[in-house]
Amino acid sequence: MSINEIRSQFPILDRSVNGRPLVYLDNTATSQTPRRVVEAIDDMYFAHKANVHRGVFALSQEATDLQEASREHVRKFLNARSTAEIIFTRGTTEALNLVASSFGGSTLRDGDEIILTVMEHHANIVPWQLLQSRINFKIKVVTINERGELDLDQYRSLFTDRTRLVSVTHVSNVLGTVNPIREIVDIAHSRGVRVVVDGAQAVPHLAVDVQALDADFYAFSSHKMYGPTGIGVLYGKEQLLENMPPYQGGGEMIGKVTFEKTTFAELPFKFEAGTPDFVGIAALAQALDFIADTSYELIASHEHELLQYTTARMLEIPGMRIYGTAPDKAAVISFLVDGCHHYDVGMLLDQLGVAVRTGHHCAEPLMNYLGIEGTVRASFAVYNTLAEADAFIAALNRVVAMLR
Ligand code: C6P
């Protein structure tokens, strides 16, 4: 499939912003949505809307079937063993809160330790800190080298006989670094320690096989991988999920309720309290099909070309500093230009039609570690083109000339 054929599936890419053709380079925050996903949402609302797992009537059965077909799609997508291991959430954030509250809350004890990394998104830091108000455990932090890669020797040295859990991002939303998850998992498992993986920035770019990674939990959001907003997935090994208490209470997650005692539903429903976003869940299957039809091979090779080309062109600009230069890197470029404030760069780029993100990217501890307030971040998706990279570089040169 050509990039132009891919682009034609995303109507938003044809619009202009501030009188210029839109160059959308904030894909790490959220990617754009192909027509087939929006059509699936329409179809759910216009033809199949009824509450799921509740009605005996045909419409409810159809909605339920579409939701559960999507769960099977996600199972295949991650190569999970069973659909019991696929829990729908509101996003990565809710998935990580679920793990911290339910798994962390039921397994950690006062005096225990967990390991995070300095490149974590707030969604993989704050839920653990909230849990610290209930349990007095310690958070240890893996640092990075000058390329933005995790220091695995230091990681190994953090383990003690009180280490109970490692929670780590697969791909950094700031540095782009692709972390060696299998190695990280093996090191932890050899000490009997469980591993949670934040896959929010991995699934848009690379194929994930949870069995090959041997991760105990894996979380991601649909809206960053061409799917609808408001939907995420938590994968967990069945035996772990089986032993965890429910995260929220309400309809759907129960077996039998009396005022004296409530029993809980089987997996995965035990963790899906209330009416789910069955419209979004059904449409997520179309995003997975879009990725399958496009293929991760094409996504990876095209994004790699965009990354290499844009990085080289950016480095021609005097005073350019790029944060994150790992050889194994997703197409995310965080940068600062000497003498230019990151907000000014972002706002002026917008005037020229280029959408990038500025600020701390919800990774303040990483910014503190790097000794900076924030960066400008340009991030690519499979529909971006080399011509857009050129437009971005031309706009950036103009902005830098203006600010200096
Ligand atoms: N990062 C970014 O611009 P939610 O908001 O739940 O869909 O995803 C949270 C999240 C968790 N982990 C990582 C590594 C992430 O990058 C994100 C979201 C966006 O970088 C929005 S802050």
Side-chain angles (χ1 to χ4, degrees):
M1 200 183 309
S2 74
I3 301 303
N4 275 341
E5 280 165 340
I6 293 170
R7 278 182 81 78
S8 69
Q9 301 175 50
F10 293 82
I12 200 170
L13 298 177
D14 291 333
R15 65 162 285 184
S16 53
V17 167
N18 293 321
R20 313 254 175 174
L22 167 67
V23 176
Y24 184 77
L25 300 181
D26 195 18
N27 295 286
T28 296
T30 195
S31 61
Q32 297 301 342
T33 315
R35 199 174 258 117
R36 65 201 286 174
V37 170
V38 180
E39 283 169 358
I41 293 171
D42 263 20
D43 189 49
M44 279 302 277
Y45 277 116
F46 293 152
H48 306 289
K49 191 173 177 219
N51 210 329
V52 288
H53 289 294
R54 283 160 174 82
V56 290
F57 53 93
L59 218 52
S60 172
Q61 198 51 54
E62 282 169 28
T64 304
D65 288 349
L66 284 159
Q67 167 171 297
E68 294 311 316
S70 186
R71 197 187 306 274
E72 168 58 17
H73 245 68
V74 175
R75 184 202 67 72
K76 271 203 201 123
F77 174 72
L78 292 176
N79 191 29
R81 284 180 192 83
S82 149
T83 49
E85 300 181 317
I86 306 300
I87 296 158
F88 288 116
T89 65
R90 284 192 301 121
T92 309
T93 303
E94 189 178 51
L96 292 172
N97 274 276
L98 192 166
V99 178
S101 175
S102 174
F103 183 73
S106 61
T107 56
L108 294 175
R109 301 283 173 265
D110 288 351
D112 282 349
E113 297 171 357
I114 71 164
I115 298 177
L116 306 180
T117 86
V118 76
M119 66 170 80
E120 295 313 311
H121 185 278
H122 297 165
N124 196 22
I125 300 173
V126 185
W128 303 106
Q129 291 174 330
L130 291 177
L131 187 60
Q132 282 180 314
S133 66
R134 282 162 53 192
I135 306 166
N136 185 20
F137 64 92
K138 189 169 168 188
I139 296 176
K140 290 182 157 181
V141 180
V142 187
T143 55
I144 51 175
N145 64 20
E146 65 291 346
R147 289 187 296 275
E149 297 162 308
L150 292 176
D151 180 343
L152 292 186
D153 289 333
Q154 189 245 358
Y155 166 61
R156 279 191 193 85
S157 76
L158 294 179
F159 284 85
T160 69
D161 58 1
R162 294 311 300 264
T163 311
R164 297 287 177 262
L165 190 88
V166 172
S167 194
V168 57
T169 193
H170 195 165
V171 174
S172 163
N173 67 320
V174 176
L175 307 165
T177 315
V178 180
N179 290 321
I181 293 300
R182 180 63 208 227
E183 201 179 340
I184 288 167
V185 167
D186 284 347
I187 293 167
H189 282 178
S190 71
R191 291 160 172 86
V193 172
R194 299 289 181 187
V195 182
V196 183
V197 181
D198 171 353
Q201 298 300 346
V203 285
H205 306 292
L206 49 100
V208 169
D209 178 331
V210 287
Q211 292 191 60
L213 293 176
D214 203 19
D216 296 295
F217 298 96
Y218 197 97
F220 65 89
S221 300
S222 144
H223 70 98
K224 294 183 195 294
M225 51 172 312
Y226 311 106
T229 59
I231 287 297
V233 170
L234 175 68
Y235 157 84
K237 284 183 182 162
E238 189 167 352
Q239 165 237 332
L240 296 175
L241 293 172
E242 209 51 87
N243 292 325
M244 285 159 53
Y247 170 55
Q248 293 181 330
E252 190 56 32
M253 51 74 73
I254 51 91
K256 201 157 179 48
V257 180
T258 65
F259 278 109
E260 288 69 40
K261 185 178 160 57
T262 291
T263 59
F264 303 121
E266 300 285 294
L267 288 175
F269 307 108
K270 179 172 90 173
F271 291 106
E272 294 180 355
T275 301
D277 179 359
F278 54 86
V279 171
I281 292 171
L284 171 59
Q286 287 300 320
L288 302 184
D289 284 349
F290 166 76
I291 289 178
D293 291 351
T294 306
S295 90
Y296 272 119
E297 268 143 28
L298 177 66
I299 292 173
S301 66
H302 180 62
E303 290 182 356
H304 185 70
E305 188 184 8
L306 289 167
L307 173 68
Q308 297 293 104
Y309 176 77
T310 312
T311 303
R313 296 284 320 271
M314 286 170 73
L315 288 172
E316 290 165 7
I317 300 174
M320 174 63 64
R321 275 177 288 151
I322 292 181
Y323 294 87
T325 53
D328 198 1
K329 181 179 167 177
V332 177
I333 311 177
S334 281
F335 66 97
L336 287 173
V337 189
D338 288 347
C340 306
H341 195 275
H342 51 95
Y343 284 132
D344 295 337
V345 175
M347 274 160 53
L348 290 172
L349 282 174
D350 180 55
Q351 293 304 306
L352 299 172
V354 180
V356 293
R357 189 169 168 190
T358 57
H360 55 58
H361 314 297
C362 302
E364 278 197 77
L366 176 60
M367 296 300 137
N368 293 337
Y369 184 82
L370 297 171
I372 55 178
E373 247 179 63
T375 68
V376 188
R377 185 186 67 187
S379 53
F380 296 86
V382 69
Y383 44 65
N384 288 123
T385 61
L386 288 170
E388 286 183 312
D390 281 335
F392 163 58
I393 296 292
L396 186 57
N397 272 305
R398 273 187 67 183
V399 166
V400 170
M402 275 155 80
L403 290 173
R404 280 192 183 143

